[in-house]
Amino acid sequence: MRKHPFRKAVEDGASRNDLVKLLSPDAEILAPMLTKPVAGAQQVLSIIGHAVRIAGPIEYLHECADTRQACTILVDGEDGLIGRRFTT
């Protein structure tokens, strides 16, 4: 499967200007650490930038491109038990 342009840009270290061109002007980001969705391409990119500085570098392990399916992410704790579950 071909890599999504956003994934490729992030993994290749694209500039902020290049990344923002990949986002819709009304793009939204929903994340567990946010109390509400953040909207707008520049604001979304700002959140992603903070995430990279805090926890980076970002490495994508899997990519799903079928809009008819959901994606579930399981995060294991140090004890090997599922500590978090996210579904989109």
Side-chain angles (χ1 to χ4, degrees), residues 29-74:
I29 187 167
L30 299 98
M33 73 291 270
L34 301 172
T35 58
K36 61 182 180 178
V38 173
Q42 291 292 339
Q43 291 82 356
V44 167
L45 200 52
S46 179
I47 297 293
I48 293 168
H50 290 302
V52 170
R53 280 192 299 284
I54 294 168
I58 294 175
E59 178 185 355
Y60 295 96
L61 301 177
H62 303 285
E63 184 174 325
C64 177
D66 187 341
T67 59
R68 298 170 293 162
Q69 295 181 1
C71 178
T72 299
I73 300 168
L74 303 175

